[in-house]
Amino acid sequence: MERSHTVFPEVTLAILAGGQGRRLSGVPKGLLEVEGRAVLERLLTLAPRFEDVLLVANVPGPYARFGLRTVADVVPGKGAPGGVHAALVAARTPWVVAVACDMPFITMAALRVLLDAREDSVDAVCFEVAGRLEPLLAAYRPALAPAWGDALATNPSMRELLSNVRTRLLPEETLRAVDPSLRSLANVNTPEDLARYGVALPS
């Protein structure tokens, strides 16, 4: 993949495929389409800005045509915490930015806000919007992986995991500065979401 425009050579873009879209006829959510392109394909337009790209998918078959380096959860059955952990284990760079494959509207501007907020004293950077953390639009040090993996035994929430590491929480207004409608956080889980965001089932 072309890397001549790499902006963040120390960062891996990790796309978490999650499970099957059970509320969307079992369609792999990364294959949902916006304006004729799969969501995963849209996210991959961000890839040239990063040193590496990684797909976390326990059922990789539907995404094989994209030719991505793909890994499964190291600790199965742990949802988003397990998916992030898998990305941290597999990363070859000092940082990972994790995004979900059902978020069609993530922009480079939003990712830049996250990554520009990194500091030597911070292990994770995450937006907090309306009191909720957004862990699938967030940046992490892979050095967290061993402790994170141990913690998965207790089925922690993402908030619990992040509360135990040096996390910088970015307030809502920092995202609104580059994304006034918070469209980057839109995720597609239900038929109602399809209509709301103009998303179609794969053709």
Side-chain angles (χ1 to χ4, degrees), residues 95 111-122 124-127 139 168-170 174:
W95 282 87
L111 296 180
R112 190 183 294 274
V113 168
L114 271 176
L115 294 169
D116 285 351
R118 292 172 297 160
E119 298 175 347
D120 289 344
S121 60
V122 167
V125 183
C126 183
F127 291 113
R168 182 174 186 187
L169 296 180
L170 301 182
T174 62

Side-chain angles (χ1 to χ4, degrees), residues 52-140:
D52 197 10
V53 182
L54 179 66
L55 179 69
V56 179
N58 293 320
V59 184
Y63 304 108
R65 64 185 168 95
F66 294 97
L68 300 172
R69 183 164 72 97
T70 304
V71 299
D73 289 351
V74 179
V75 184
K78 301 297 182 179
V84 173
H85 173 251
L88 300 183
V89 169
R92 302 165 177 164
T93 55
W95 282 87
V96 167
V97 62
V99 301
C101 76
D102 61 358
M103 297 170 75
F105 308 112
I106 291 173
T107 64
M108 193 61 219
L111 296 180
R112 190 183 294 274
V113 168
L114 271 176
L115 294 169
D116 285 351
R118 292 172 297 160
E119 298 175 347
D120 289 344
S121 60
V122 167
D123 294 318
V125 183
C126 183
F127 291 113
E128 185 173 26
V129 175
R132 291 185 52 185
L133 302 188
E134 299 294 342
L136 297 186
L137 180 58
Y140 304 91

